């Protein structure tokens, strides 16, 4: 249902989203909210905005409280490696143990609960790439409403490329998982692909509007989408559309998009009593909707399966490049999303590459003729070797 917002409301929204300062943002959102006509078409929006205002109020409070101590809570960890995965779960389930077992990080493993209060990152090597794993403070009932470090943990989850949901098999894993999924859902973070998904990623001024259609638009055109975005003063952004999306879905995303994060469940403490029974219970509950990796961080059993599971869940491919005339290809791959084209690769290498692209040659065992001469729209796969030729 269309929101039919008056232009002054849209303008106010644009001001609010351009502001980083939580206090100013809250003020502008309150003004925006008062400009929104209240009817059926705006009901969903109103709920969203109210939630956003509540989160901001809590963030402001938290900052005040933290002012006495050192720095503030870390809501963001700089990305490194092929992908960033936030490790979330209840307390004492083995988050620090997992981090210590698979990465170079010095995580503090402890039998006492709520030991980890700051996010701890570590690098996890898999094949010739590395994943960054970030241990987030423990989740609990009420995290999404701002309890303890909840907002911080959920912000870390929202910023990540994917999630590792960790449960403890010496306890009821279904209770743990449903608590995790309840809190993430409240924070508008989903771990299963919704039918339509729209992401609006703001870019630097001058970047312009780019629409990436990975699905299809229903009842509207790309021009309509651009017009809608501009009406909210969104002029520099990449908008990704997955599944079948309507103009309403796009408008929804302007406010706060529901984030979809691919996820893998790590079922820890497989060495403990009752773990077999608990694992079967978890498997029945999950019903193949997410991969489950049973492990023991203590004995390291099962940990070797985690890398591939993450790689699969994230839908990644590794592509190697070769200079024309050179024999060897690059040691380090470019990591791209499945479905990426030669053009996407070129853009990754250098922004000029895409503009001056002429053709490419691709080496792969899957090709009948290898190397094959291809154009920019050629879809790449894992382990392809690409030689880009410029005009
Ligand atoms: N039996 C068993 N205990 C584990 C395993 N992994 C971690 N633990 C124990 O669980 C407790 C909590 O571990 P920790 O990694 O600090 O959990 P966190 O609070 O989720 O970071 C510690 O006493 C660990 O020794 C495991 O695979 N098996
Ligand atoms: Mg910990």
């Amino acid at each position: 249902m269309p929101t039919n917002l008056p232009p002054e409301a849209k303008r106010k929204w644009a001001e609010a989203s351009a502001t980083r300062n939580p206090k100013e943002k809250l003020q502008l959102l309150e003004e925006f909210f008062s400009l929104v006509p209240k009817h059926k078409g705006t009901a969903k929006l109103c709920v969203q905005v109210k939630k956003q205002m509540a989160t901001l109020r809590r963030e402001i409070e938290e900052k005040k409280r933290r002012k006495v101590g050192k720095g503030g809570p870390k809501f963001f960890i700089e990305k490194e490696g092929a992908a960033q995965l936030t490790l979330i779960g209840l307390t004492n389930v083995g988050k620090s143990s997992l981090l210590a077992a698979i990465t170079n990080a010095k995580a503090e493993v402890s039998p006492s609960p709520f030991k980890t209060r700051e996010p701890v990152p570590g690098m996890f090597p898999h094949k010739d790439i590395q994943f960054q794993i970030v241990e987030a403070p423990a989740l609990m009932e009420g995290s999404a409403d701002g309890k303890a470090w909840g907002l911080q943990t959920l912000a870390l989850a929202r910023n990540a490329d994917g999630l590792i949901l960790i449960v403890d098999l010496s306890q009821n894993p279904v209770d743990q998982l449903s608590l995790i999924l309840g809190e993430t859902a409240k924070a508008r973070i989903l771990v299963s692909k919704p039918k339509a998904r729209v992401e609006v990623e703001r870019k630097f001024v001058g970047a312009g509007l780019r629409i990436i259609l990975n699905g299809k638009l229903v009842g509207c055109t790309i021009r309509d989408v651009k017009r809608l975005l501009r009406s909210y003063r969104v002029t520099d952004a990449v908008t990704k559309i997955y599944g079948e999306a309507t103009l309403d879905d796009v408008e929804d995303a302007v406010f706060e998009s529901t984030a979809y994060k691919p996820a893998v469940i790590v079922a820890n403490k497989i060495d403990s009593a009752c773990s077999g029974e608990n694992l079967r219970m978890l498997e029945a509950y999950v019903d193949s909707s997410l991969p489950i990796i049973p492990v023991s961080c203590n004995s390291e059993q099962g940990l070797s399966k985690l890398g591939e599971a993450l790689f699969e869940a994230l839908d990644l491919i590794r592509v190697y490049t070769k200079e024309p005339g050179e024999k060897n290809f690059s040691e380090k791959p470019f990591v791209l999303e499945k479905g990426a084209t030669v053009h996407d690769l070129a853009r990754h290498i250098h922004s000029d590459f895409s503009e001056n692209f002429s053709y490419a040659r691709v080496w792969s065992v899957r090709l009948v003729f290898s190397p094959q001469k291809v154009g920019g729209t050629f879809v790449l796969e894992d382990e392809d070797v690409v030689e880009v030729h410029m005009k």
Side-chain angles (χ1 to χ4, degrees), residues 13 26 28-30 32-34 36 42-57 255-256:
W13 174 262
L26 179 62
L28 290 165
L29 277 182
E30 278 164 352
F32 165 74
F33 193 72
S34 68
V36 174
T42 60
K44 210 165 127 199
L45 165 68
C46 288
V47 173
Q48 257 170 263
V49 174
K50 273 192 195 156
K51 237 186 208 159
Q52 232 167 312
M53 293 194 293
T55 307
L56 279 171
R57 280 190 202 107
F255 292 104
E256 188 202 8

Side-chain angles (χ1 to χ4, degrees), residues 91-92 94-97 107-110 114-117 135-136:
T91 188
N92 260 331
K95 294 182 299 299
S96 298
S97 303
E108 192 183 353
V109 176
S110 160
F114 304 111
K115 204 64 193 171
T116 312
R117 294 173 187 197
E135 177 184 0

